[in-house]
Coordinates of all heavy atoms in Angstrom, one line a residue:
M21 N -12.0 39.2 -4.8 CA -12.5 39.4 -6.1 C -12.0 38.4 -7.1 O -10.8 38.2 -7.1 CB -12.2 40.8 -6.5 CG -12.8 41.2 -7.9 SD -12.4 42.8 -8.4 CE -13.9 43.6 -7.9
T22 N -12.8 37.7 -7.8 CA -12.3 36.7 -8.7 C -12.2 37.3 -10.1 O -12.9 38.2 -10.5 CB -13.3 35.5 -8.8 OG1 -14.6 36.0 -9.3 CG2 -13.5 34.9 -7.5
S23 N -11.2 36.8 -10.8 CA -10.9 37.2 -12.2 C -12.0 36.6 -13.1 O -12.4 35.5 -12.9 CB -9.5 36.7 -12.6 OG -9.3 36.9 -13.9
P24 N -12.4 37.3 -14.2 CA -13.4 36.7 -15.1 C -12.8 35.5 -15.9 O -13.6 34.8 -16.4 CB -13.7 37.9 -16.0 CG -12.6 38.9 -15.9 CD -12.0 38.7 -14.5
H25 N -11.5 35.3 -15.8 CA -10.9 34.2 -16.6 C -10.4 33.1 -15.7 O -9.7 32.2 -16.1 CB -9.7 34.7 -17.4 CG -10.0 35.8 -18.3 ND1 -10.8 35.6 -19.5 CD2 -9.8 37.1 -18.3 CE1 -10.9 36.7 -20.1 NE2 -10.3 37.7 -19.4
Q26 N -10.9 33.1 -14.4 CA -10.5 32.1 -13.5 C -11.3 30.8 -13.7 O -12.5 30.8 -13.9 CB -10.7 32.6 -12.0 CG -10.2 31.6 -11.0 CD -10.3 32.2 -9.6 OE1 -11.0 33.2 -9.4 NE2 -9.7 31.6 -8.6
V27 N -10.5 29.7 -13.7 CA -11.2 28.4 -13.9 C -11.8 27.9 -12.6 O -11.3 28.0 -11.5 CB -10.1 27.4 -14.3 CG1 -10.7 26.0 -14.5 CG2 -9.4 27.8 -15.6
P28 N -13.1 27.4 -12.7 CA -13.7 26.9 -11.5 C -13.0 25.7 -10.9 O -12.4 24.9 -11.6 CB -15.1 26.5 -12.0 CG -15.1 26.5 -13.4 CD -13.9 27.3 -13.9
N29 N -13.0 25.6 -9.6 CA -12.3 24.5 -8.9 C -13.3 23.9 -7.8 O -13.1 24.2 -6.6 CB -11.0 25.1 -8.2 CG -10.2 24.0 -7.6 OD1 -10.5 22.8 -7.9 ND2 -9.2 24.3 -6.8
P30 N -14.2 23.1 -8.2 CA -15.2 22.5 -7.3 C -14.5 21.5 -6.4 O -13.5 20.9 -6.8 CB -16.3 22.0 -8.1 CG -15.6 21.6 -9.4 CD -14.5 22.7 -9.6
A31 N -15.1 21.2 -5.2 CA -14.6 20.2 -4.3 C -14.9 18.8 -4.9 O -15.9 18.6 -5.7 CB -15.2 20.3 -3.0
A32 N -14.1 17.8 -4.6 CA -14.4 16.4 -5.0 C -15.7 15.9 -4.4 O -15.9 16.1 -3.2 CB -13.2 15.5 -4.6
E33 N -16.5 15.2 -5.2 CA -17.7 14.7 -4.7 C -18.0 13.4 -5.4 O -17.9 13.3 -6.6 CB -18.9 15.7 -5.0 CG -20.2 15.3 -4.4 CD -21.3 16.4 -4.7 OE1 -20.9 17.6 -4.9 OE2 -22.4 16.0 -4.9
A34 N -18.4 12.4 -4.6 CA -18.7 11.1 -5.2 C -20.0 11.1 -5.9 O -21.0 11.8 -5.5 CB -18.8 10.0 -4.1
P35 N -20.1 10.4 -7.0 CA -21.4 10.3 -7.7 C -22.4 9.7 -6.8 O -22.1 8.9 -5.9 CB -21.1 9.4 -8.9 CG -19.6 9.5 -9.1 CD -19.1 9.7 -7.7
P36 N -23.7 10.0 -7.0 CA -24.8 9.4 -6.1 C -24.7 7.9 -6.1 O -24.6 7.2 -7.1 CB -26.1 9.9 -6.8 CG -25.7 11.1 -7.6 CD -24.3 10.9 -8.0
G37 N -24.7 7.3 -4.9 CA -24.7 5.9 -4.7 C -23.3 5.2 -4.8 O -23.2 4.0 -4.5
F38 N -22.2 6.0 -5.0 CA -20.9 5.4 -5.1 C -20.1 5.5 -3.9 O -19.0 4.9 -3.7 CB -20.1 5.9 -6.3 CG -20.5 5.3 -7.6 CD1 -21.5 5.9 -8.4 CD2 -20.0 4.2 -8.1 CE1 -21.9 5.4 -9.6 CE2 -20.3 3.6 -9.3 CZ -21.3 4.2 -10.1
A39 N -20.4 6.4 -3.0 CA -19.6 6.6 -1.8 C -19.5 5.4 -0.9 O -18.4 5.0 -0.5 CB -20.2 7.8 -1.0
D40 N -20.6 4.7 -0.7 CA -20.6 3.5 0.1 C -19.8 2.4 -0.6 O -19.0 1.6 0.0 CB -22.0 3.0 0.4 CG -22.7 3.9 1.4 OD1 -22.0 4.6 2.1 OD2 -24.0 3.9 1.3
L41 N -20.0 2.2 -1.9 CA -19.2 1.2 -2.7 C -17.7 1.5 -2.6 O -16.9 0.6 -2.5 CB -19.7 1.2 -4.1 CG -19.0 0.2 -5.1 CD1 -19.2 -1.2 -4.6 CD2 -19.5 0.4 -6.5
A42 N -17.4 2.7 -2.8 CA -15.9 3.1 -2.8 C -15.3 2.8 -1.4 O -14.2 2.3 -1.3 CB -15.7 4.6 -3.1
G43 N -16.0 3.1 -0.3 CA -15.6 2.8 1.0 C -15.4 1.3 1.2 O -14.4 0.9 1.9
E44 N -16.3 0.6 0.7 CA -16.3 -0.9 0.9 C -15.1 -1.5 0.1 O -14.4 -2.3 0.6 CB -17.6 -1.5 0.4 CG -17.7 -3.0 0.8 CD -19.1 -3.5 0.6 OE1 -20.1 -2.7 0.4 OE2 -19.3 -4.7 0.5
L45 N -14.9 -1.0 -1.1 CA -13.8 -1.5 -1.9 C -12.4 -1.1 -1.3 O -11.5 -2.0 -1.2 CB -13.8 -0.9 -3.3 CG -14.9 -1.5 -4.2 CD1 -15.0 -0.7 -5.5 CD2 -14.7 -3.0 -4.5
L46 N -12.3 0.1 -0.7 CA -11.1 0.5 0.0 C -10.8 -0.4 1.2 O -9.7 -0.7 1.5 CB -11.1 2.0 0.3 CG -11.0 2.9 -0.9 CD1 -11.2 4.4 -0.4 CD2 -9.6 2.8 -1.5
G47 N -11.9 -0.7 1.9 CA -11.8 -1.5 3.1 C -11.3 -2.9 2.7 O -10.4 -3.5 3.4
W48 N -11.8 -3.5 1.6 CA -11.3 -4.8 1.2 C -9.9 -4.7 0.7 O -9.1 -5.7 1.0 CB -12.2 -5.3 0.0 CG -13.6 -5.6 0.3 CD1 -14.1 -5.8 1.6 CD2 -14.7 -5.8 -0.6 NE1 -15.4 -6.1 1.5 CE2 -15.8 -6.1 0.2 CE3 -14.8 -5.7 -1.9 CZ2 -17.0 -6.4 -0.4 CZ3 -16.0 -6.0 -2.5 CH2 -17.1 -6.3 -1.7
L49 N -9.5 -3.7 0.1 CA -8.1 -3.5 -0.4 C -7.1 -3.4 0.8 O -6.1 -4.0 0.8 CB -7.9 -2.3 -1.3 CG -8.4 -2.5 -2.7 CD1 -8.4 -1.2 -3.5 CD2 -7.6 -3.6 -3.4
K50 N -7.5 -2.6 1.8 CA -6.7 -2.5 3.1 C -6.6 -3.9 3.7 O -5.5 -4.2 4.1 CB -7.4 -1.6 4.0 CG -7.2 -0.1 3.7 CD -7.9 0.7 4.8 CE -7.7 2.2 4.6 NZ -8.3 3.0 5.7
W51 N -7.6 -4.6 3.8 CA -7.6 -6.0 4.4 C -6.6 -6.8 3.6 O -5.8 -7.6 4.2 CB -9.0 -6.6 4.5 CG -9.0 -7.9 5.1 CD1 -9.0 -8.2 6.4 CD2 -9.0 -9.2 4.4 NE1 -9.0 -9.6 6.5 CE2 -9.0 -10.2 5.3 CE3 -8.9 -9.5 3.0 CZ2 -9.0 -11.5 5.0 CZ3 -8.9 -10.8 2.7 CH2 -9.0 -11.8 3.6
G52 N -6.7 -6.8 2.3 CA -5.8 -7.6 1.4 C -4.4 -7.2 1.6 O -3.5 -8.1 1.6
V53 N -4.1 -5.9 1.7 CA -2.7 -5.5 2.0 C -2.2 -6.0 3.3 O -1.1 -6.5 3.4 CB -2.6 -4.0 1.9 CG1 -1.3 -3.5 2.4 CG2 -2.8 -3.5 0.5
L54 N -3.0 -6.0 4.3 CA -2.6 -6.5 5.6 C -2.3 -8.0 5.6 O -1.3 -8.5 6.1 CB -3.6 -6.2 6.7 CG -3.8 -4.7 7.1 CD1 -5.0 -4.5 8.0 CD2 -2.5 -4.2 7.7
V55 N -3.2 -8.7 4.9 CA -3.0 -10.2 4.8 C -1.7 -10.5 4.0 O -0.9 -11.3 4.4 CB -4.2 -10.9 4.2 CG1 -3.9 -12.3 3.9 CG2 -5.4 -10.8 5.2
A56 N -1.6 -9.8 2.9 CA -0.4 -10.0 2.1 C 0.9 -9.6 2.8 O 1.9 -10.3 2.7 CB -0.5 -9.2 0.8
G57 N 0.8 -8.5 3.7 CA 2.0 -8.1 4.4 C 2.4 -9.1 5.5 O 3.6 -9.4 5.6
V58 N 1.4 -9.7 6.2 CA 1.7 -10.7 7.2 C 2.3 -11.9 6.5 O 3.3 -12.5 7.0 CB 0.5 -11.0 8.0 CG1 0.7 -12.2 8.9 CG2 0.1 -9.8 8.9
L59 N 1.7 -12.3 5.4 CA 2.2 -13.5 4.7 C 3.6 -13.3 4.2 O 4.4 -14.2 4.3 CB 1.2 -13.8 3.5 CG 1.0 -15.3 3.2 CD1 0.0 -15.8 4.1 CD2 0.5 -15.4 1.8
G60 N 3.8 -12.1 3.6 CA 5.1 -11.8 3.1 C 6.2 -11.8 4.2 O 7.3 -12.3 4.0
I61 N 5.9 -11.2 5.3 CA 6.9 -11.2 6.4 C 7.2 -12.6 6.9 O 8.3 -13.0 7.2 CB 6.4 -10.3 7.6 CG1 6.4 -8.8 7.2 CG2 7.2 -10.5 8.9 CD1 7.8 -8.2 7.0
L62 N 6.1 -13.4 7.0 CA 6.3 -14.8 7.5 C 7.1 -15.6 6.5 O 8.0 -16.4 6.8 CB 5.0 -15.5 7.7 CG 4.2 -15.0 9.0 CD1 2.8 -15.6 9.0 CD2 5.0 -15.2 10.2
I63 N 6.9 -15.4 5.2 CA 7.6 -16.1 4.2 C 9.1 -15.7 4.2 O 10.0 -16.5 4.1 CB 7.0 -15.9 2.8 CG1 5.7 -16.7 2.7 CG2 7.9 -16.4 1.6 CD1 4.8 -16.3 1.5
C64 N 9.3 -14.4 4.3 CA 10.7 -13.9 4.4 C 11.4 -14.5 5.6 O 12.6 -14.8 5.6 CB 10.7 -12.4 4.4 SG 10.3 -11.7 2.8
A65 N 10.7 -14.5 6.8 CA 11.3 -15.1 8.0 C 11.7 -16.5 7.8 O 12.7 -17.0 8.2 CB 10.4 -14.9 9.1
L66 N 10.8 -17.3 7.1 CA 11.1 -18.7 6.8 C 12.3 -18.8 5.9 O 13.1 -19.7 6.1 CB 9.8 -19.3 6.2 CG 9.9 -20.8 5.9 CD1 10.0 -21.6 7.2 CD2 8.7 -21.3 5.2
M67 N 12.4 -18.0 4.9 CA 13.6 -18.0 4.1 C 14.9 -17.7 4.8 O 15.9 -18.4 4.6 CB 13.4 -17.0 2.9 CG 12.3 -17.4 1.9 SD 12.0 -16.1 0.7 CE 13.5 -16.2 -0.3
L68 N 14.8 -16.8 5.8 CA 16.0 -16.5 6.6 C 16.3 -17.7 7.5 O 17.5 -18.1 7.6 CB 15.7 -15.3 7.5 CG 15.8 -13.9 6.9 CD1 15.3 -12.9 7.8 CD2 17.2 -13.6 6.5
I69 N 15.3 -18.4 8.0 CA 15.6 -19.5 8.9 C 16.2 -20.7 8.0 O 17.1 -21.3 8.4 CB 14.3 -20.0 9.6 CG1 13.9 -18.9 10.6 CG2 14.5 -21.3 10.3 CD1 12.5 -19.0 11.1
I70 N 15.6 -21.0 6.9 CA 16.0 -22.1 6.1 C 17.4 -21.8 5.5 O 18.2 -22.7 5.4 CB 15.0 -22.3 4.9 CG1 13.7 -22.9 5.5 CG2 15.6 -23.2 3.9 CD1 12.6 -23.0 4.5
G71 N 17.7 -20.5 5.1 CA 18.9 -20.2 4.5 C 20.1 -20.0 5.4 O 21.2 -19.6 5.0
R72 N 19.8 -20.2 6.7 CA 20.9 -19.9 7.7 C 22.1 -20.8 7.5 O 23.3 -20.3 7.6 CB 20.3 -20.2 9.1 CG 21.3 -19.9 10.2 CD 20.7 -20.1 11.5 NE 21.8 -19.9 12.6 CZ 22.5 -20.8 13.1 NH1 22.2 -22.1 12.7 NH2 23.4 -20.6 14.0
R73 N 22.0 -22.0 7.1 CA 23.1 -22.9 7.0 C 23.2 -23.4 5.5 O 22.3 -24.0 5.0 CB 23.0 -24.1 7.9 CG 23.0 -23.8 9.3 CD 23.5 -25.0 10.1 NE 23.4 -24.7 11.5 CZ 24.5 -24.4 12.3 NH1 25.7 -24.4 11.7 NH2 24.3 -24.2 13.5
N74 N 24.4 -23.0 4.9 CA 24.7 -23.5 3.5 C 23.8 -23.1 2.4 O 23.8 -23.7 1.4 CB 24.9 -25.0 3.5 CG 25.9 -25.5 4.5 OD1 26.9 -24.8 4.7 ND2 25.7 -26.7 5.1
R75 N 22.9 -22.1 2.7 CA 22.0 -21.6 1.7 C 21.9 -20.1 1.8 O 20.9 -19.5 2.0 CB 20.6 -22.2 1.8 CG 20.5 -23.7 1.5 CD 19.1 -24.2 1.7 NE 19.0 -25.6 1.6 CZ 19.0 -26.4 2.7 NH1 19.0 -25.9 3.9 NH2 19.0 -27.7 2.5
S76 N 23.1 -19.5 1.7 CA 23.1 -18.0 2.0 C 22.3 -17.2 1.0 O 21.8 -16.1 1.3 CB 24.6 -17.6 2.0 OG 25.2 -17.8 0.7
A77 N 22.2 -17.7 -0.3 CA 21.4 -17.0 -1.3 C 19.9 -16.9 -0.8 O 19.2 -15.9 -1.0 CB 21.5 -17.7 -2.6
T78 N 19.4 -18.0 -0.2 CA 18.0 -18.0 0.3 C 17.8 -17.0 1.4 O 16.9 -16.3 1.5 CB 17.6 -19.4 0.7 OG1 17.8 -20.3 -0.3 CG2 16.2 -19.5 1.2
A79 N 18.8 -17.0 2.3 CA 18.8 -16.0 3.4 C 18.8 -14.6 2.9 O 18.1 -13.7 3.4 CB 19.9 -16.3 4.4
Y80 N 19.7 -14.4 1.9 CA 19.8 -13.1 1.4 C 18.5 -12.6 0.7 O 18.0 -11.5 0.9 CB 20.9 -13.0 0.4 CG 21.1 -11.7 -0.4 CD1 21.6 -10.6 0.2 CD2 20.6 -11.6 -1.7 CE1 21.7 -9.4 -0.4 CE2 20.7 -10.4 -2.4 CZ 21.3 -9.3 -1.7 OH 21.3 -8.1 -2.4
E81 N 17.9 -13.5 -0.1 CA 16.6 -13.2 -0.7 C 15.5 -12.9 0.4 O 14.7 -12.1 0.2 CB 16.2 -14.3 -1.6 CG 17.0 -14.5 -2.9 CD 16.9 -13.2 -3.8 OE1 15.8 -12.7 -3.9 OE2 17.9 -12.9 -4.4
G82 N 15.5 -13.6 1.4 CA 14.6 -13.4 2.5 C 14.8 -12.0 3.2 O 13.8 -11.3 3.5
L83 N 16.0 -11.7 3.3 CA 16.3 -10.4 3.9 C 15.9 -9.2 3.0 O 15.3 -8.2 3.4 CB 17.8 -10.3 4.3 CG 18.3 -9.1 5.1 CD1 17.6 -9.1 6.4 CD2 19.8 -9.1 5.3
V84 N 16.3 -9.3 1.7 CA 15.9 -8.3 0.8 C 14.4 -8.3 0.6 O 13.8 -7.2 0.5 CB 16.6 -8.6 -0.6 CG1 16.1 -7.7 -1.7 CG2 18.1 -8.4 -0.4
G85 N 13.8 -9.4 0.5 CA 12.3 -9.5 0.4 C 11.6 -8.8 1.6 O 10.6 -8.1 1.4
S86 N 12.1 -9.0 2.8 CA 11.5 -8.4 3.9 C 11.6 -6.9 3.9 O 10.6 -6.2 4.3 CB 12.1 -8.9 5.3 OG 13.5 -8.5 5.3
A87 N 12.6 -6.3 3.3 CA 12.7 -4.9 3.1 C 11.7 -4.4 2.1 O 11.0 -3.3 2.3 CB 14.1 -4.5 2.6
W88 N 11.4 -5.1 1.1 CA 10.4 -4.8 0.1 C 9.0 -4.9 0.7 O 8.1 -4.0 0.5 CB 10.5 -5.7 -1.1 CG 11.6 -5.3 -2.1 CD1 12.8 -5.9 -2.2 CD2 11.6 -4.2 -3.0 NE1 13.5 -5.3 -3.2 CE2 12.8 -4.2 -3.7 CE3 10.6 -3.2 -3.3 CZ2 13.1 -3.2 -4.6 CZ3 11.0 -2.2 -4.2 CH2 12.2 -2.3 -4.9
V89 N 8.8 -5.9 1.5 CA 7.5 -6.0 2.2 C 7.2 -4.9 3.1 O 6.1 -4.3 3.2 CB 7.4 -7.4 2.9 CG1 6.1 -7.5 3.8 CG2 7.4 -8.6 1.9
I90 N 8.2 -4.6 3.9 CA 8.1 -3.5 4.9 C 7.9 -2.1 4.1 O 7.1 -1.3 4.5 CB 9.3 -3.4 5.8 CG1 9.3 -4.6 6.8 CG2 9.3 -2.1 6.7 CD1 10.5 -4.8 7.6
G91 N 8.6 -1.9 3.0 CA 8.4 -0.7 2.2 C 7.0 -0.7 1.7 O 6.4 0.4 1.6
G92 N 6.5 -1.8 1.2 CA 5.1 -1.8 0.7 C 4.1 -1.5 1.7 O 3.1 -0.8 1.5
L93 N 4.3 -2.1 2.9 CA 3.4 -1.8 4.0 C 3.4 -0.3 4.5 O 2.4 0.3 4.8 CB 3.7 -2.7 5.2 CG 3.3 -4.2 5.0 CD1 3.9 -5.0 6.2 CD2 1.8 -4.3 5.0
A94 N 4.6 0.2 4.5 CA 4.8 1.6 4.8 C 4.1 2.5 3.8 O 3.4 3.5 4.2 CB 6.3 2.0 4.9
L95 N 4.2 2.2 2.5 CA 3.6 3.0 1.5 C 2.0 2.9 1.6 O 1.3 3.9 1.5 CB 4.0 2.5 0.1 CG 3.5 3.3 -1.1 CD1 3.9 4.8 -1.0 CD2 4.0 2.7 -2.4
A96 N 1.6 1.7 1.9 CA 0.1 1.5 2.0 C -0.4 2.2 3.2 O -1.5 2.7 3.2 CB -0.2 0.0 2.2
S97 N 0.4 2.3 4.3 CA -0.1 3.0 5.5 C -0.2 4.5 5.4 O -1.0 5.1 6.1 CB 0.8 2.6 6.7 OG 2.0 3.2 6.6
V98 N 0.5 5.1 4.4 CA 0.5 6.5 4.2 C -0.2 6.9 2.9 O -0.2 8.0 2.5 CB 1.9 7.1 4.3 CG1 2.5 7.0 5.6 CG2 2.8 6.6 3.2
A99 N -0.9 5.9 2.3 CA -1.5 6.1 1.0 C -2.5 7.3 1.0 O -2.5 8.2 0.2 CB -2.2 4.8 0.5
A100 N -3.4 7.3 2.0 CA -4.4 8.3 2.1 C -3.8 9.7 2.4 O -4.2 10.7 1.8 CB -5.4 8.0 3.2
L101 N -2.7 9.7 3.2 CA -2.0 11.0 3.4 C -1.4 11.5 2.1 O -1.4 12.7 1.8 CB -1.0 10.9 4.5 CG -1.5 10.6 5.9 CD1 -0.3 10.3 6.8 CD2 -2.3 11.8 6.4
L102 N -0.7 10.6 1.4 CA -0.1 11.0 0.1 C -1.1 11.6 -0.9 O -0.9 12.6 -1.5 CB 0.7 9.9 -0.5 CG 2.0 9.5 0.2 CD1 2.5 8.2 -0.4 CD2 3.0 10.6 0.0
V103 N -2.2 10.9 -1.0 CA -3.2 11.3 -2.0 C -3.8 12.6 -1.5 O -4.1 13.5 -2.3 CB -4.3 10.2 -2.2 CG1 -5.5 10.7 -3.0 CG2 -3.7 9.0 -2.8
G104 N -4.0 12.8 -0.2 CA -4.6 14.0 0.3 C -3.6 15.2 0.1 O -4.1 16.3 -0.1
A105 N -2.4 14.9 0.1 CA -1.4 16.0 -0.1 C -1.4 16.5 -1.5 O -1.0 17.7 -1.7 CB 0.0 15.5 0.3
F106 N -1.8 15.7 -2.5 CA -1.8 16.1 -3.9 C -3.2 16.4 -4.4 O -3.4 16.3 -5.6 CB -1.1 15.0 -4.7 CG 0.3 14.9 -4.4 CD1 0.8 13.9 -3.7 CD2 1.2 15.8 -4.9 CE1 2.2 13.7 -3.4 CE2 2.6 15.7 -4.7 CZ 3.1 14.7 -3.9
Q107 N -4.1 16.7 -3.5 CA -5.5 17.0 -4.0 C -5.5 18.2 -4.9 O -4.7 19.2 -4.7 CB -6.4 17.3 -2.8 CG -6.9 16.1 -2.1 CD -7.9 16.4 -1.1 OE1 -8.1 17.6 -0.7 NE2 -8.6 15.4 -0.6
I108 N -6.3 18.1 -5.9 CA -6.4 19.2 -6.9 C -7.6 20.0 -6.7 O -8.6 19.6 -6.1 CB -6.3 18.7 -8.4 CG1 -7.3 17.6 -8.6 CG2 -4.9 18.3 -8.7 CD1 -7.4 17.2 -10.0

């Protein structure tokens, strides 16, 4: 039995014609994240290689940068799960 003062809570629904566009945009963003992640890891690896001898600051920045890249990729990989957990 519902209370007469209960607020309605309808399910999320895309406006007509926007579901395909939203899916396409999300696909493009996922692709961009993957490309940026691969590029970021490769750049950090190059910094580690270059900074091996007499450039410890460069190697350090490459190591710290790789942690940020991996963290960003991990966040992107669980984005849908996180948003799904907080559905209203």
